[in-house]
Amino acid sequence: MSAPLTWRVARLVERRVETPSAHTLVLEAPGWPAHVAGQHVDIRLTAEDGYQAARSYSLAAPADGDRIALTVQRVEDGEVSPYLLDTYAEGDPIEVRGPLGGYFVWRPDETAPVLLVGGGSGVVPLMAMIRARRAAGSRTPFRLIYSVRTPADVLYADELRTRARDDQGLDVAYVYTREAPDGWRGAPHRIGLVDVNTHGWPPDLEPLCYVCGSTGFVETVADLLVGLGHQSRRVRTERFGPTA
């Protein structure tokens, strides 16, 4: 039986603005154990009066020594994300615990085709898998379907554009729900059967499917995949939600 994870102090060493409402935070966490793409961490803040608030955030990149990367999307009226985006400064401490999760993960020794379907900031752990694939020199075929409100809300936009061009075996498709870019075919819409059938893998290839986003998004996509003939045991899901 493994020892329980403990809280450790990490410090901010780099901040990258992804969109007006989302930043990637690179933390230095001394003694950090190696993690697997798709895992997450708990972040805990403690106020001067002793009040504590904790949230879970997906790891946005594969293991890199003692450094971990989190992409934080602002939650209006939230307790944690506004502090991390507006107040948390380079060198400031924060408590982290992890890595957590062993089901919603991808390892480079997997050879089955991979379908990634992300809604909004649900793309974060999927991006960790894409980055892990590149870092390992894996040739496993990957397809990403990314559902997002508008082009301005796309996380990792430049990197995804570059990887779709340069990473052999990676295909990226977008679904825009509120506003599509100029020249886009079709009208904005919520992800549906045509999107998953057109941009996903056929079920006879037995791909591993990873779906991450809000509860409604995940349930919709998982039902579509199973309805198309994908084995439910090969459809792995991760939903948004605060730490209990």
Side-chain angles (χ1 to χ4, degrees):
M1 186 174 181
S2 59
L5 294 172
T6 59
W7 292 98
R8 68 184 71 223
V9 176
R11 296 182 185 274
L12 182 66
V13 294
E14 183 184 350
R15 177 186 297 272
R16 297 193 293 268
V17 177
E18 303 290 353
T19 72
S21 62
H23 296 179
T24 291
L25 308 177
V26 180
L27 308 177
E28 187 83 27
W32 182 256
H35 61 266
V36 182
Q39 288 188 297
H40 62 277
V41 299
D42 289 341
I43 295 291
R44 185 168 69 181
L45 304 177
T46 302
E48 292 183 359
D49 63 2
Y51 175 76
Q52 293 182 324
R55 295 291 183 271
S56 294
Y57 289 101
S58 295
L59 290 153
D64 181 22
D66 286 342
R67 292 197 170 192
I68 59 175
L70 316 174
T71 300
V72 178
Q73 180 83 47
R74 182 186 300 277
V75 176
E76 297 300 336
D77 300 323
E79 290 184 309
V80 176
S81 64
Y83 170 81
L84 295 177
L85 267 61
D86 301 334
T87 305
Y88 189 46
E90 188 169 323
D92 284 354
I94 197 168
E95 289 183 288
V96 300
R97 181 175 62 183
L100 301 166
Y103 171 71
F104 192 82
V105 299
W106 180 80
R107 294 176 172 86
D109 59 359
E110 295 276 6
T111 58
V114 172
L115 174 62
L116 310 172
V117 189
S121 59
V123 77
V124 175
L126 310 183
M127 193 65 184
M129 297 177 190
I130 291 172
R131 289 166 168 167
R133 174 186 183 271
R134 175 61 179 267
S138 169
R139 294 187 176 274
T140 298
F142 266 43
R143 289 183 177 177
L144 168 66
I145 305 175
Y146 186 5
S147 176
V148 66
R149 291 178 178 178
T150 75
D153 295 310
V154 175
L155 298 176
Y156 321 118
D158 291 341
E159 183 178 354
L160 281 173
R161 190 178 304 113
T162 299
R163 289 191 181 278
R165 181 193 68 202
D166 297 341
D167 287 12
Q168 187 175 6
L170 170 65
D171 295 316
V172 179
Y174 295 91
V175 176
Y176 297 98
T177 62
R178 292 191 181 179
E179 176 189 331
D182 293 339
W184 191 259
R185 292 184 179 182
H189 63 278
R190 293 187 180 277
I191 195 167
L193 180 63
V194 172
D195 303 300
V196 176
N197 195 36
T198 300
H199 302 298
W201 296 105
D204 59 332
L205 292 181
E206 297 187 347
L208 285 173
C209 304
Y210 297 85
V211 186
C212 186
S214 64
T215 296
F217 176 88
V218 168
E219 291 178 350
T220 294
V221 174
D223 287 346
L224 289 172
L225 288 169
V226 173
L228 285 169
H230 292 271
Q231 300 173 41
S232 58
R233 65 181 178 83
R234 298 184 71 80
V235 179
R236 303 177 182 180
T237 61
E238 183 96 316
R239 295 166 171 79
F240 295 159
T243 302

